[in-house]
Amino acid sequence: MYQEAKQRLRGSIAPIVTPFDATMNVDTKALQNLIEWHIESGSHGISVTGTTGEPSSLTIEERELVMETAIKTAAGRVPVVPGTGSTNHAETLHLTKRAQEMGADAAMVIVPYYNRPNQQALYTHFKIVADSVDIPIIIYNIPGRTATNLDVKTLTRLAEDCKNIIGVKESNKDFEHVNRVLLNCGRDFLLYSGIELLCYPMLAIGGAGHVSATANIVPREVADIYNYWAAGEVEKAIDLHYKLMPLNDVLFKDTNPGPLKTAMGMMGKINPALRLPMGPPSEELQKEIWQTLNQYGLLDQEAGMSK
């Protein structure tokens, strides 16, 4: 069961934004349209209610609504991996169980943020969550957001003790750390990059793919980084890696998903609304985003990087 999942859960798992309508409610129709666009554009999988999906701005009921909408819309055409983690252990358990009930292909569970638990507490938290379900679990390590780094030793213990913990999304700029993940957890452990500029480098060391916010802007190109690598067309993958760098840079000049939603609004994809305490980028950055999208030819066409 988990070996099959390890084969299917590879490539670009696009972390989709949560669109809001004019009344600041979750816009399920816009979400459905985004998912269809991603599938048509070649994204290998879909993730919702992760960092890019503003989960801390959603109620539990809204998170369930977004997960259910994604799973029903994808309808088995691509894997759906919702983010089910929270700073609250009971909420994490609830959402992970709900993801399984809804038919999710896996659950992505973030290291609890703000609490700053020690390594033993992290081990206990993830083990209880993993033991509560049968679906695959992908741990999400993003120390820049959580203020806590999941040690490789802790992750290795979890991979050994919980057969359904099959991978980790590392939004970790410490490239030595991510190398040691595969050394200690095994080369068949799924390692995903959550750092845009490390999507290609992680493939080179044996990574399974990436969960890149930039896929919300150019899903085909982000998927093609993996496609070229998997096909042995290394130079094409490297060329695309560098071609995307200016776009990656501008999308992270303010806290994600602020610049990202602004860009998607300029492309006509969504209403770019953010819920407080998040807010839009400065006017100066918005101009830079517009200029960058224009350089990529994204303002007058729905997708792609050339007119």
Side-chain angles (χ1 to χ4, degrees):
M1 173 182 176
Y2 301 127
Q3 285 302 320
E4 181 181 346
K6 285 183 176 182
Q7 293 304 313
R8 192 167 185 236
L9 294 169
R10 291 178 177 272
S12 173
I13 312 296
I16 297 182
V17 299
T18 301
F20 301 120
D21 61 23
T23 62
M24 295 304 290
N25 290 314
V26 173
D27 190 339
T28 54
K29 180 59 178 175
L31 179 60
Q32 290 169 343
N33 290 340
L34 290 176
I35 291 168
E36 292 293 347
W37 178 49
H38 275 277
I39 293 173
E40 292 167 6
S41 299
S43 291
H44 303 100
I46 299 296
S47 182
V48 292
T49 60
T51 301
T52 303
E54 296 174 80
S56 58
S57 297
L58 304 175
T59 66
I60 297 298
E61 292 74 21
E62 286 173 328
R63 289 184 69 170
E64 291 185 22
L65 172 63
V66 172
M67 291 194 301
E68 184 175 31
T69 300
I71 292 165
K72 286 185 175 180
T73 304
R77 290 175 291 171
V78 296
V80 178
V81 186
T84 60
S86 160
T87 192
N88 182 294
H89 178 71
E91 286 181 4
T92 302
L93 276 172
H94 170 79
L95 287 168
T96 306
K97 290 176 181 178
R98 290 291 291 129
Q100 174 168 287
E101 291 167 1
M102 291 177 188
D105 295 272
M108 190 172 293
V109 186
I110 194 170
V111 170
Y113 39 93
Y114 183 76
N115 295 326
R116 300 186 68 184
N118 63 36
Q119 295 299 310
Q120 181 56 44
L122 286 172
Y123 172 85
T124 303
H125 168 73
F126 282 115
K127 188 171 190 312
I128 290 173
V129 172
D131 288 347
S132 73
V133 294
D134 295 324
I135 58 173
I137 298 293
I138 298 167
I139 291 176
Y140 179 14
N141 189 31
I142 179 168
R145 289 265 194 165
T146 64
T148 301
N149 187 42
L150 183 67
D151 288 350
V152 173
K153 287 183 179 179
T154 307
L155 181 59
T156 303
R157 286 180 65 199
L158 287 163
E160 290 173 348
D161 296 346
C162 306
K163 298 307 179 186
N164 60 332
I165 293 181
I166 64 170
V168 62
K169 174 188 174 183
E170 284 283 358
S171 293
N172 198 326
K173 293 183 179 181
D174 183 348
F175 205 60
E176 288 188 14
H177 171 99
V178 298
N179 275 268
R180 295 186 188 285
V181 167
L182 291 183
L183 175 66
N184 288 275
C185 294
R187 297 273 291 280
D188 67 337
F189 195 69
L190 302 183
L191 172 67
Y192 304 91
S193 174
I195 300 287
E196 275 59 32
L197 267 60
L198 294 183
C199 289
Y200 169 75
M202 280 206 200
L203 292 175
I205 64 168
H210 33 264
V211 187
S212 168
T214 305
N216 284 274
I217 306 296
V218 282
R220 186 171 302 282
E221 286 76 9
V222 173
D224 276 346
I225 292 176
Y226 177 84
N227 292 334
Y228 287 140
W229 173 260
E233 298 182 85
V234 176
E235 288 301 320
K236 287 185 178 181
I238 294 173
D239 288 345
L240 195 48
H241 165 76
Y242 285 109
K243 192 172 185 178
L244 289 176
M245 279 184 66
L247 180 59
N248 288 327
D249 287 345
V250 79
L251 291 176
F252 287 88
K253 287 194 172 183
D254 196 358
T255 305
N256 182 50
L260 180 60
K261 276 194 160 183
T262 295
M264 294 177 73
M266 292 174 180
M267 294 170 65
K269 289 294 182 184
I270 61 166
N271 169 29
L274 296 146
R275 282 182 176 173
L276 291 170
M278 296 293 290
S282 67
E283 289 186 13
E284 181 181 0
L285 180 52
Q286 290 188 43
K287 290 179 182 178
E288 188 176 350
I289 292 168
W290 189 94
Q291 291 168 352
T292 303
L293 293 179
N294 190 44
Q295 290 169 4
Y296 280 90
L298 292 169
L299 291 174
D300 57 353
Q301 64 180 51
E302 287 190 351
M305 293 182 58
S306 61
K307 294 182 180 180

